[in-house]
Amino acid sequence: MKFYKRNQTRKVNIGGVIIGGGVPIAVQSMTNTNTKDWKATVKQIKQLEEVGCEIVRVSLPDMESAYNVSRIKKNIKIPLVADIHFDYKIALEAIKQGVDKLRINPGNIGSKDKVEILVKEAKKAHIPIRIGVNAGSLKEVHNFFDNASRAKALANAAIEHAKILENHDFFDIVISLKASNVDTTVQAYKIFASKRNYPLHLGITESGSIFSGTIKSSAGLGIMLYDGIGDTVRVSLTADPVEEAKVAYSLLQSLELRSSGIEIISCPTCSRTQVDLIKIVSDMENRVATIKNLRKLSKPIKVAMMGCVVNGPGEAKDADFGIAGGKDGGILFKNGEIIGKVKPDNWVPKLVSMIKDRLTNSSED
């Protein structure tokens, strides 16, 4: 049961994926391939699809990249967003090529006239536009040194640029207000959410590596999601984009907003632990990531992997499947009942097999 109320925002259709209006929060990522190499880009997008990414963004730094949009779209299953900076003509080409959404940064796209041209063409093609306001590229933000003032500048810029689109009777708008500072970002989103009802794409920009970026993103996004703010999320990491989608699902699942299909509970280990639980759990996470259709389950499968018999049996009993470990083997639980013993080197294969059986049975129901 969710413990907070989500903000009600407008619904926007992105290539068949609806965001806003209280529908489940969508998970996004962005490729880091050279979009000129459309085959490599498609390959990475397919990898993102496998871990449940629902919307993907590609950067279009030049016209050659824009010409590849149609090739990429033909070979993927999820909506494609074009990220354009500086040259509005690239955005116009992306529209011709059939992109599902535009992401522009009004701080660097050029004059209002150029934005207006884009709006007219996007409206004809029924393509939504995300106004991506970033602290790093918005001149007004650099006039201030405190987080509160910077947040107001971000929110005001987003409102003003939304007005340009609204003046052309265009309302298929998504907003993001990103900074690398958590406090600035959170305040900016809260200000905007109190004044407009456009769906919000959440993110902490330039958050860092897979370690530090996950922590910073989780801190910032967690605050906003808990307050009911957000309709799509991207966890920006200096890492393989697949990791972004995995972290996003894990974050959303921890707040009971989405399900990755599996919840692994494991102890931090201590001197009582007689198995290499760190390696076993890591292997389990890698194996689970390859299981298809887990996210289709209405409720995630809870799996406990415990290193000793102190808290292990209790946690394992509370899980759908669980193992409480010892040196010579672990006690295997299913729905709270002991069903056998498993040697350490067979923990992962046994639990994966039980998960797949549950999936098969669920699909037959």
Side-chain angles (χ1 to χ4, degrees):
M1 181 129 182
K2 290 186 270 303
F3 29 81
Y4 50 87
K5 183 179 180 181
R6 287 180 61 194
N7 277 14
Q8 287 301 304
T9 53
R10 294 172 59 93
K11 286 186 177 181
V12 171
N13 187 336
I14 304 170
V17 173
I18 305 297
I19 66 168
V23 303
I25 294 171
V27 171
Q28 298 191 205
S29 186
M30 184 175 183
T31 60
N32 59 15
T33 55
N34 187 336
T35 314
K36 292 179 184 178
D37 186 347
W38 68 270
K39 290 183 178 179
T41 302
V42 166
K43 181 180 179 181
Q44 190 170 78
I45 294 173
K46 287 184 177 294
Q47 292 169 343
L48 283 164
E49 289 174 345
E50 288 179 3
V51 294
C53 184
E54 294 163 307
I55 301 170
V56 67
R57 179 159 51 114
V58 296
S59 62
L60 303 181
D62 48 45
M63 199 62 76
E64 185 179 348
S65 298
Y67 293 145
N68 277 334
V69 165
S70 60
R71 292 190 182 100
I72 294 168
K73 268 188 62 65
K74 289 176 183 177
N75 289 278
I76 64 175
K77 298 177 181 178
I78 57 178
L80 186 66
V81 181
D83 184 271
I84 294 101
H85 293 264
F86 308 117
D87 191 345
Y88 79 105
K89 292 181 181 178
I90 295 175
L92 293 176
E93 183 60 35
I95 293 173
K96 291 180 183 178
Q97 293 282 325
V99 77
D100 296 302
K101 184 174 80 169
L102 294 176
R103 186 273 188 180
I104 62 172
N105 187 330
N108 64 33
I109 199 68
S111 65
K112 287 186 178 181
D113 291 343
K114 294 176 180 178
V115 176
E116 288 169 0
I117 292 171
L118 281 183
V119 172
K120 291 178 181 178
E121 294 304 313
K123 189 173 182 180
K124 288 180 186 177
H126 304 287
I127 294 171
I129 294 175
R130 170 155 72 94
I131 297 175
V133 181
N134 273 22
S137 57
L138 194 67
K139 295 177 182 178
E140 295 93 319
V141 171
H142 301 295
N143 295 328
F144 303 102
F145 297 97
D146 62 291
N147 293 339
S149 296
R150 289 189 166 198
K152 289 179 183 177
L154 281 169
N156 289 338
I159 291 169
E160 290 304 309
H161 285 99
K163 287 179 181 178
I164 298 173
L165 278 61
E166 293 166 348
N167 289 338
H168 291 275
D169 198 30
F170 188 94
F171 301 98
D172 283 337
I173 302 169
V174 182
I175 300 289
S176 63
L177 310 99
K178 298 181 181 181
S180 58
N181 178 274
V182 169
D183 184 38
T184 299
T185 304
V186 171
Q187 288 194 60
Y189 275 103
K190 286 185 175 182
I191 293 169
F192 187 91
S194 70
K195 296 182 178 182
R196 291 289 191 277
N197 70 339
Y198 292 118
L200 295 174
H201 169 68
L202 302 187
I204 305 294
T205 193
E206 296 126 13
S207 63
S209 67
I210 190 169
F211 177 75
S212 61
T214 294
I215 294 171
K216 181 183 277 192
S217 294
S218 297
L221 299 182
I223 294 169
M224 292 184 283
L225 291 168
Y226 189 87
D227 283 343
I229 295 172
D231 300 282
T232 72
V233 298
R234 180 199 174 191
V235 178
S236 300
L237 301 174
T238 309
D240 186 330
V242 166
E243 299 300 326
E244 296 186 347
K246 288 163 65 175
V247 172
Y249 268 111
S250 183
L251 173 59
L252 292 172
Q253 180 167 284
S254 71
L255 293 171
E256 300 179 20
L257 286 164
R258 293 294 300 271
S259 171
S260 64
I262 193 80
E263 180 182 3
I264 298 176
I265 297 171
S266 60
C267 69
T269 73
C270 68
S271 63
R272 286 185 294 267
T273 306
Q274 299 183 64
V275 296
D276 189 352
L277 190 64
I278 295 174
K279 181 180 184 303
I280 291 172
V281 172
S282 178
D283 290 345
M284 183 67 180
E285 287 182 336
N286 291 332
R287 287 288 299 276
V288 165
T290 66
I291 301 176
K292 295 181 178 180
N293 300 320
L294 272 174
R295 273 169 293 278
K296 293 182 178 180
L297 293 171
S298 58
K299 180 182 177 183
I301 298 172
K302 188 175 181 180
V303 177
M305 304 177 75
M306 308 300 293
C308 76
V309 296
V310 174
N311 295 318
E315 292 286 0
K317 272 190 175 183
D318 192 44
D320 293 289
F321 312 125
I323 296 179
K327 182 177 181 180
D328 297 324
I331 302 170
L332 180 64
F333 291 83
K334 180 180 179 180
N335 299 325
E337 301 292 331
I338 297 175
I339 62 172
K341 288 187 176 182
V342 185
K343 292 183 178 181
D345 59 0
N346 199 39
W347 283 25
V348 172
K350 181 62 179 178
L351 289 171
V352 168
S353 176
M354 294 173 76
I355 291 169
K356 288 182 176 179
D357 286 344
R358 173 66 64 84
L359 274 173
T360 301
N361 293 333
S362 297
S363 64
E364 291 175 352
D365 291 341

